[in-house]
Amino acid sequence: MSDLALVLTGGGARAAFQVGFLRGLGRAYPKLPVQIVTGVSAGAINAAYLGARTTNLDETTARLEELWRSLEPEHVFDARTIDLTRNAVRWSMRLISGGSRKAPHPRGLVETGPLRELLDRELSDGDSDGRIHRVQDTIDRGDLRALAISTTSYSTGQTITWVEGRDAETWERTHRVSRLATLTTRHVLASCSLPFMFPAVEIDGRWYGDGGVRLYAPLSPAIHLGASKILALSTRYDKTSAEADTPAITGYPPPAQVAGVLLNAVFLDLLDSDADRMHRFNRVLEAMPPEERERHGRLIRLEVVRPSRDIGQLANDYEITLPRGFRFFMRGLGTRETRSNDLLSLLMFQSDYVGRLIDLGHAEFERRRGAIEEFLAAD
């Protein structure tokens, strides 16, 4: 089989959809030879879990699903009212301080200590340095060529893709570079640190945040690492023309609506653009004589999987089950004024909503089973 890569994009709690699809994939292909795994934002959590997998994809995805189904907001960030209020006051004081040195220096609207503890427990087995030891074990067995996790450097503005792998080569492009590394839970935590919402993470003396901020070519890490076949799992629903033309709000847009549009543009829309470029490039290569084709590049088969329902709209059904304090603050941003809660869907890590997305991922795999079988069987 050609070198297969899994590309897992971001989207906060939306990444539960990926888990459902991966679970279906693991059941159908327990020995599937996935040689390259790349992840960004919340997709980095799933990527790291797969990179540290057992030889049986069915077992690994079963454990990953169990982990996600047990999630609650307090397992990801401090959702207590007193903590949220304290951070809100700190941000308010910062905004009205005029840059005073005595002003507080909040690092995020919420604290992500619980997520750090969760990642340490699940990925590093409590190792003091957070190293994900099982990734190297997977590489040594020959079950994995490379695991790549992308972050954004707030110090330089570059996208930094951290790679652990066998004979992996680094690359450097405009605003995006790669670094060989022994991956730790800090790399994963940094990759999924939503700007302003979650604090940045320090790695080797520099500060990093969500890897999707400037990653305008989400497929590129897999390509650079030698993939000849890419299965990319997006968390963005592809709206019909009629749905896209239907307003999600009435009147002036609240902050939640503006933030949702921006976050979609930053984290979710870029995969579509990158996939379009790859499809066009493949068509150009296919039109060339084989002897000339080799001088310009290689054909890379691509299959992109997306939810068949609007995940933002689904979030409205579960808003009432959020922790009271967190729900109060989110409503202050206008989450009840929009019919597609894209911002809220990123942060709804409670088990009922997550379980719904996992089920949606299961259903999507069954719906696409024939296409996936054909994609995997193709040379």
Side-chain angles (χ1 to χ4, degrees):
M1 180 177 287
S2 303
D3 288 335
L4 173 65
L6 280 176
V7 173
L8 306 177
T9 63
R14 297 181 182 205
F17 167 79
Q18 297 174 352
V19 176
F21 189 91
L22 290 169
R23 185 71 188 100
L25 189 69
R27 282 199 187 106
Y29 304 95
K31 299 295 183 180
L32 183 66
V34 180
Q35 283 292 299
I36 300 163
V37 182
T38 75
V40 61
S41 193
I45 299 175
N46 295 334
Y49 211 95
L50 291 177
R53 66 187 184 272
T54 67
T55 56
N56 190 301
L57 190 61
D58 186 21
E59 294 177 359
T60 301
T61 55
R63 294 174 185 174
L64 183 61
E65 178 180 10
E66 182 180 358
L67 170 64
W68 274 85
R69 284 193 183 275
S70 67
L71 282 182
E72 296 296 345
E74 57 267 25
H75 297 149
V76 178
F77 52 84
D78 288 333
R80 293 171 296 184
T81 303
I82 186 171
D83 295 308
L84 295 169
T85 302
R86 185 185 298 117
N87 275 345
V89 170
R90 286 174 177 169
W91 275 103
S92 298
M93 293 176 64
R94 174 74 174 178
L95 289 172
I96 65 174
S97 69
S100 170
R101 294 183 179 180
K102 296 182 179 180
H105 291 79
R107 295 186 172 183
L109 290 174
V110 297
E111 299 296 333
T112 53
L115 178 57
R116 183 182 64 249
E117 294 174 3
L118 176 68
L119 293 175
D120 285 341
R121 183 174 65 251
E122 293 291 332
L123 295 175
S124 71
D125 300 322
D127 191 302
S128 59
D129 62 4
R131 180 182 176 185
I132 311 173
H133 294 279
R134 283 171 287 169
V135 170
Q136 188 59 52
D137 295 339
T138 309
I139 293 170
D140 291 341
R141 288 198 309 266
D143 293 336
L144 182 72
R145 180 192 298 175
L147 170 65
I149 292 176
S150 296
T151 62
T152 298
S153 171
Y154 289 144
S155 303
T156 66
Q158 295 174 307
T159 294
I160 309 295
T161 298
W162 307 89
V163 179
E164 184 169 358
R166 182 178 64 252
D167 302 324
E169 297 183 1
T170 58
W171 63 89
E172 185 169 345
R173 298 291 186 272
T174 304
H175 301 306
R176 50 191 175 96
V177 297
S178 65
R179 298 281 186 269
L180 298 180
T182 298
L183 292 174
T184 70
T185 54
R186 297 188 70 82
H187 295 95
V188 179
L189 184 62
S191 184
C192 57
S193 291
L194 290 168
F196 298 109
M197 295 299 299
F198 293 173
V201 177
E202 187 178 13
I203 301 174
D204 298 334
R206 294 189 175 183
W207 294 92
Y208 297 86
D210 198 300
V213 173
R214 297 196 72 173
L215 187 59
Y216 54 84
L219 301 174
S220 63
I223 296 171
H224 285 298
L225 291 169
S228 56
K229 189 180 295 187
I230 297 175
L231 178 59
L233 305 189
S234 174
T235 60
R236 178 185 181 274
Y237 169 64
D238 192 15
K239 294 182 178 180
T240 65
S241 297
E243 290 172 324
D245 289 339
T246 302
I249 57 168
T250 301
Y252 191 83
Q257 178 66 18
V258 176
V261 171
L262 289 174
L263 290 171
N264 276 342
V266 171
F267 300 125
L268 304 180
D269 294 350
L270 296 178
L271 176 62
D272 295 331
S273 300
D274 205 17
D276 286 342
R277 285 193 296 269
M278 179 173 286
H279 286 313
R280 288 197 299 271
F281 185 65
N282 281 341
R283 286 196 293 270
V284 171
L285 287 180
E286 288 171 344
M288 293 180 178
E291 61 276 10
E292 184 179 350
R293 183 186 305 165
E294 295 180 1
R295 294 191 293 109
H296 295 276
R298 67 184 191 277
L299 285 169
I300 301 174
R301 296 186 181 275
L302 172 65
E303 187 77 15
V304 179
V305 175
R306 300 181 180 86
S308 57
R309 292 197 58 183
D310 188 334
I311 290 179
Q313 285 187 356
L314 286 178
N316 290 330
D317 298 339
Y318 298 90
E319 186 265 356
I320 192 63
T321 64
L322 284 167
R324 180 178 299 178
F326 185 66
R327 185 173 69 240
F328 176 82
F329 281 104
M330 295 306 293
R331 286 180 176 180
L333 294 175
T335 53
R336 302 190 78 184
E337 301 170 42
T338 175
R339 286 177 285 277
S340 185
N341 253 312
D342 292 320
L343 173 63
L344 199 58
S345 69
L346 297 173
L347 302 169
M348 295 186 70
F349 287 95
Q350 69 258 36
S351 58
D352 51 1
Y353 179 66
V354 164
R356 180 77 176 275
L357 297 191
I358 291 174
D359 292 341
L360 190 63
H362 278 292
E364 191 61 23
F365 176 80
E366 293 302 327
R367 190 177 76 85
R368 298 282 299 274
R369 181 187 282 265
I372 296 300
E373 182 176 355
E374 182 179 344
F375 167 74
L376 293 176
D379 294 328

